């Protein structure tokens, strides 16, 4: 396609955006994402073509958050609303009913990717973004939605999604190779966010709390984790950066094991934003810590 036609198409898209309800102040379509990984994947696909904002701010985890009236107004202006779904953002379901108009395209990135959580209470495990293979599929779901909402940007969205998808595929290859030869395969974590990740790389997740980080484990659950960790000769416990480490410290002391960080990437800190740390960087650190804690060569 000639440069001339691209410019014309961009102009046409601009005019369409300008006529519809909901363009961002600078004329680009406004795309609102629920929390950090959705924001990161959407931003990677959109590039400069759309204005992408995250509802949940840096420093806050996506499980427990409530939208303000300003957030509701922003969703009302959005061309596309991207959320994970599968119950991860209970507030988003409410927000969609309240704010998403007929011109807002609503996308649940985990559509078709979830399986029931282990432990079996019937609910789905929402944490698909922690598996680099499922993350690639979520990126494709987001790409398709952006293309439908803004057909003039198809070439851009498609090229961006392919480039980011290749980085995620490389991340998957590093996890696969890096976790192949390990002394131990049991991963004791503070909340059950790593079901997809551990399944993908033939590891086993032993979760101290439930699916949400704020759920306090009962003494019976704790006793079971201690027993499992002793039986399986675990030498490290993995905790997440955004929750209180008190529980994991108690366990680590009782079992005489090390504490390592395993980030569920449910949020990002202000410092990480300032340092331009993204999903792939956080996942690379996760891989390093898993390799260390599991004794991988
Ligand atoms: Zn979680």
């Amino acid at each position: 396609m000639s440069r001339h036609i691209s410019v014309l198409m961009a102009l046409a898209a601009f005019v369409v955006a300008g006529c519809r309800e909901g363009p961002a102040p600078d004329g680009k379509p406004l795309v609102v994402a629920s929390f950090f990984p959705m924001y990161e994947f959407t931003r990677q696909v959109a590039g400069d073509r759309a204005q992408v904002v995250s509802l949940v701010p840096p420093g806050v985890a996506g499980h427990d958050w409530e939208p303000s009236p300003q957030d509701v107004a922003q969703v009302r202006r959005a061309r596309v609303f991207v959320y994970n779904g599968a119950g991860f953002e209970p507030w988003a379901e409410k927000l969609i009913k309240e704010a998403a108009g007929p011109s807002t395209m609503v996308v649940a990135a985990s559509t078709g990717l979830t399986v029931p959580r282990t432990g079996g209470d019937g609910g789905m495990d929402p944490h698909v973004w922690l598996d680099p293979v499922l993350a690639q599929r979520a990126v494709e779901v987001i790409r398709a939605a952006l293309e439908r909402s803004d057909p003039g940007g198809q070439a851009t969205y498609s090229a961006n999604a392919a480039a980011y998808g290749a980085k995620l595929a490389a991340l998957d290859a590093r996890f696969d190779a890096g976790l192949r030869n390990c002394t131990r395969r049991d991963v004791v974590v503070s909340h059950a966010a790593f079901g997809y990740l551990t399944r993908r790389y033939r590891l086993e997740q032993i979760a101290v709390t439930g699916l949400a980080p704020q759920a306090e484990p009962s003494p019976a659950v704790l006793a079971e984790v201690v027993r499992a960790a002793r039986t399986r000769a675990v030498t490290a416990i993995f905790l997440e950066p955004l929750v209180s480490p008190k529980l994991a410290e108690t366990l680590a002391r009782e079992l005489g094991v090390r504490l390592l960080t395993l980030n569920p990437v449910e949020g990002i800190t202000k410092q990480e934003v300032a340092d331009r740390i993204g999903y792939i960087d956080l996942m690379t650190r996760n891989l390093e810590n898993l390799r260390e804690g599991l004794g991988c060569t």
Side-chain angles (χ1 to χ4, degrees), residues 61-111:
H63 270 300
D64 44 355
W65 183 78
E66 284 297 328
S68 70
Q70 286 81 1
D71 297 317
V72 176
Q74 197 163 40
V75 171
R76 205 160 272 145
R77 284 190 290 113
R79 178 85 66 90
V80 183
F81 177 65
V82 181
Y83 73 122
N84 182 74
F88 183 78
E89 314 102 313
W91 51 267
E93 318 276 350
K94 204 172 133 234
L95 191 57
I96 290 161
K97 275 202 202 101
E98 209 176 304
S103 63
T104 309
M105 183 175 289
V106 174
V107 193
S110 74
T111 302

Side-chain angles (χ1 to χ4, degrees), residues 63 88 126-127 129 191-193 211-213 264 266:
H63 270 300
F88 183 78
H127 301 90
W129 64 90
H191 101 267
L211 227 56
E266 293 182 354

Side-chain angles (χ1 to χ4, degrees), residues 1 4-15 49 151-154:
M1 187 188 297
H4 201 75
I5 293 170
S6 311
V7 169
L8 275 179
M9 281 180 69
L11 264 177
F14 180 83
V15 170
R49 175 90 194 175
Q154 192 174 4

Side-chain angles (χ1 to χ4, degrees), residues 129-133 167-182 185 187 194 196-203 262-263 265 279-291 294 296-297:
W129 64 90
L130 287 163
D131 172 352
V133 175
K167 288 183 188 166
L168 293 175
L171 179 71
D172 166 50
R174 290 207 305 277
F175 265 86
D176 195 57
L179 296 172
R180 199 166 289 157
N181 303 307
C182 307
R185 306 205 76 83
V187 183
F194 304 93
Y196 296 102
L197 176 82
T198 50
R199 245 191 312 275
R200 177 70 59 194
Y201 303 110
R202 307 160 302 278
L203 306 173
L262 197 58
N263 192 333
V265 199
Y279 168 87
I280 289 176
D281 305 298
L282 296 175
M283 289 299 283
T284 301
R285 286 183 196 164
N286 279 346
L287 174 58
E288 285 162 7
N289 285 348
L290 279 171
R291 283 175 49 74
L294 302 177
C296 309
T297 54

Side-chain angles (χ1 to χ4, degrees), residues 44-266:
Q44 293 287 345
V45 178
D48 294 332
R49 175 90 194 175
Q51 190 202 355
V52 183
V53 298
S54 177
L55 283 179
V56 178
V60 178
H63 270 300
D64 44 355
W65 183 78
E66 284 297 328
S68 70
Q70 286 81 1
D71 297 317
V72 176
Q74 197 163 40
V75 171
R76 205 160 272 145
R77 284 190 290 113
R79 178 85 66 90
V80 183
F81 177 65
V82 181
Y83 73 122
N84 182 74
F88 183 78
E89 314 102 313
W91 51 267
E93 318 276 350
K94 204 172 133 234
L95 191 57
I96 290 161
K97 275 202 202 101
E98 209 176 304
S103 63
T104 309
M105 183 175 289
V106 174
V107 193
S110 74
T111 302
L113 305 179
T114 53
V115 299
R117 54 182 282 191
T118 45
D121 70 344
M124 299 305 257
D125 180 354
H127 301 90
V128 291
W129 64 90
L130 287 163
D131 172 352
V133 175
L134 295 183
Q136 291 172 67
R137 300 202 196 136
V139 164
E140 284 303 301
V141 171
I142 293 167
R143 175 196 58 76
L146 291 182
E147 288 184 8
R148 273 201 310 279
S149 75
D150 176 19
Q154 192 174 4
T156 305
Y157 298 136
S158 177
N160 289 348
Y164 193 60
K167 288 183 188 166
L168 293 175
L171 179 71
D172 166 50
R174 290 207 305 277
F175 265 86
D176 195 57
L179 296 172
R180 199 166 289 157
N181 303 307
C182 307
T183 314
R184 294 165 294 277
R185 306 205 76 83
D186 297 312
V187 183
V188 179
V189 294
S190 54
H191 101 267
F194 304 93
Y196 296 102
L197 176 82
T198 50
R199 245 191 312 275
R200 177 70 59 194
Y201 303 110
R202 307 160 302 278
L203 306 173
E204 194 176 337
Q205 169 179 256
I206 302 167
V208 179
T209 67
L211 227 56
Q214 69 270 34
E216 272 296 312
S218 66
V221 168
L222 275 184
E224 197 176 314
V225 169
V226 169
R227 200 161 44 237
R230 287 212 170 109
T231 312
R232 294 163 189 238
V234 163
T235 60
I237 283 180
F238 297 92
L239 67 150
E240 61 192 285
L242 288 170
V243 297
S244 152
K246 216 175 126 191
L247 178 62
E249 271 167 11
T250 306
L251 277 179
R253 210 171 27 242
E254 185 156 342
L255 294 167
V257 298
R258 301 175 58 197
L259 289 176
L260 291 165
T261 302
L262 197 58
N263 192 333
V265 199
E266 293 182 354

